[in-house]
Amino acid sequence: MTIWSPPNTFQGIGDFIHAVSLVTQFWDENPRSRRRIIYDNANGNVSVLFNHPFVEYVESKDRSCPDEKFFTVKKMTLDRRAWWGDLGLDIKQRQYRYYPTPSEYMTALKIWPCDERRRIFIQGRGGWPGKTYDKFQDVVSHFEKNGDSVLFNDFCVHDDVRISLAVICSCDIFIGFDSGPAYAAMAARRATVTLFPVSHPEQILGAPYPRNISLWCQGNPNQIPPEDIVQYAEQ
């Protein structure tokens, strides 16, 4: 199977993880199908995500593959349910798929050494201007006073985006925004508290996701008290 996206269809890491999840699920249910992702104008930081055990990255000029099934994303859409429906898949059965390699995990543990404390990653901001929360420092202070190991960072803790995602996948609790880092944490079956400032959770996740609490912010994350975020994380 080939997913081909026109120029600038995918905006960031989250959209790539959606695509990787889609290809992987389709392959699991249709093991005889061929699978590739073809992408136009991928920037170097994000295209490295295609260094993935289930997905091959190729240039758009190579997309003339008549014996493969094409799934063409004609435009960016927030309702990813259409992506699954076009391929005959049930989004309610969808699981995020992302697989850091053992070496990536080892590098991640050098960046954020593991000890007996809980490891809590708090994402300072997402990729869109509206994905910010002014009260995260209160959340950080709570967990630090509790003796937890807290990493408070926008996301890129390493120049290699895959190492940054491996750091997130090694945490015990992820708190952040509707974005690629949150999807990676869900894929790693980490407990997640995800703020949705722009899109409603049902548009993105479909069915409720195990170990994730989605907070619909209605355009204003700051309306959520930090105490509520802490309480949800402690669940």
Side-chain angles (χ1 to χ4, degrees), residues 78-81 91 94 196 199-208 214 216:
L78 291 176
D79 192 351
R80 272 81 173 196
R81 287 172 290 193
I91 194 172
R94 187 269 310 276
F196 285 78
S199 308
H200 193 280
E202 290 184 359
Q203 286 183 292
I204 306 300
L205 302 181
S214 299
W216 169 226

Side-chain angles (χ1 to χ4, degrees), residues 144-208:
E144 288 181 340
K145 291 178 181 177
N146 196 46
D148 298 309
S149 176
V150 180
L151 185 54
F152 182 37
N153 190 282
D154 290 345
F155 161 60
C156 292
V157 297
H158 192 277
D159 291 339
D160 186 335
V161 65
R162 291 184 61 88
I163 298 299
S164 293
L165 289 175
V167 170
I168 287 172
C169 290
S170 72
C171 73
D172 296 306
I173 299 173
F174 173 89
I175 301 172
F177 299 96
D178 163 36
S179 60
Y183 307 153
M186 293 181 202
R189 304 299 187 267
R190 304 305 179 190
T192 58
V193 178
T194 310
L195 281 64
F196 285 78
V198 181
S199 308
H200 193 280
E202 290 184 359
Q203 286 183 292
I204 306 300
L205 302 181

Side-chain angles (χ1 to χ4, degrees), residues 9-11 15 18 71 73-83 86 128 199 203-204:
T9 294
F10 291 124
Q11 302 299 316
D15 295 308
H18 274 285
F71 174 63
V73 182
K74 296 180 180 178
K75 62 180 181 178
M76 178 63 182
T77 171
L78 291 176
D79 192 351
R80 272 81 173 196
R81 287 172 290 193
W83 296 9
D86 286 348
W128 289 21
S199 308
Q203 286 183 292
I204 306 300

Side-chain angles (χ1 to χ4, degrees), residues 58-193:
V58 296
E59 296 291 342
S60 60
K61 63 183 180 182
D62 300 325
R63 67 172 180 254
S64 56
C65 311
D67 57 335
E68 296 186 2
K69 179 172 182 177
F70 277 80
F71 174 63
T72 302
V73 182
K74 296 180 180 178
K75 62 180 181 178
M76 178 63 182
T77 171
L78 291 176
D79 192 351
R80 272 81 173 196
R81 287 172 290 193
W83 296 9
W84 268 257
D86 286 348
L87 290 175
L89 302 175
D90 182 1
I91 194 172
K92 292 183 179 180
Q93 303 301 318
R94 187 269 310 276
Q95 297 287 306
Y96 282 120
R97 319 290 181 99
Y98 189 73
Y99 307 93
T101 65
S103 63
E104 289 168 352
Y105 269 125
M106 292 298 295
T107 303
L109 292 178
K110 292 178 182 178
I111 295 172
W112 191 9
C114 185
D115 53 32
E116 296 181 354
R117 297 177 295 169
R118 285 191 308 180
R119 298 158 55 82
I120 300 174
F121 190 103
I122 299 178
Q123 180 189 12
R125 61 183 176 86
W128 289 21
K131 295 181 180 181
T132 59
Y133 182 66
D134 295 341
K135 306 171 187 177
F136 262 147
Q137 192 56 56
D138 294 337
V139 179
V140 172
S141 297
H142 167 84
F143 289 113
E144 288 181 340
K145 291 178 181 177
N146 196 46
D148 298 309
S149 176
V150 180
L151 185 54
F152 182 37
N153 190 282
D154 290 345
F155 161 60
C156 292
V157 297
H158 192 277
D159 291 339
D160 186 335
V161 65
R162 291 184 61 88
I163 298 299
S164 293
L165 289 175
V167 170
I168 287 172
C169 290
S170 72
C171 73
D172 296 306
I173 299 173
F174 173 89
I175 301 172
F177 299 96
D178 163 36
S179 60
Y183 307 153
M186 293 181 202
R189 304 299 187 267
R190 304 305 179 190
T192 58
V193 178

Side-chain angles (χ1 to χ4, degrees), residues 4-22:
W4 166 59
S5 117
N8 303 319
T9 294
F10 291 124
Q11 302 299 316
I13 294 169
D15 295 308
F16 281 85
I17 292 182
H18 274 285
V20 167
S21 301
L22 174 68

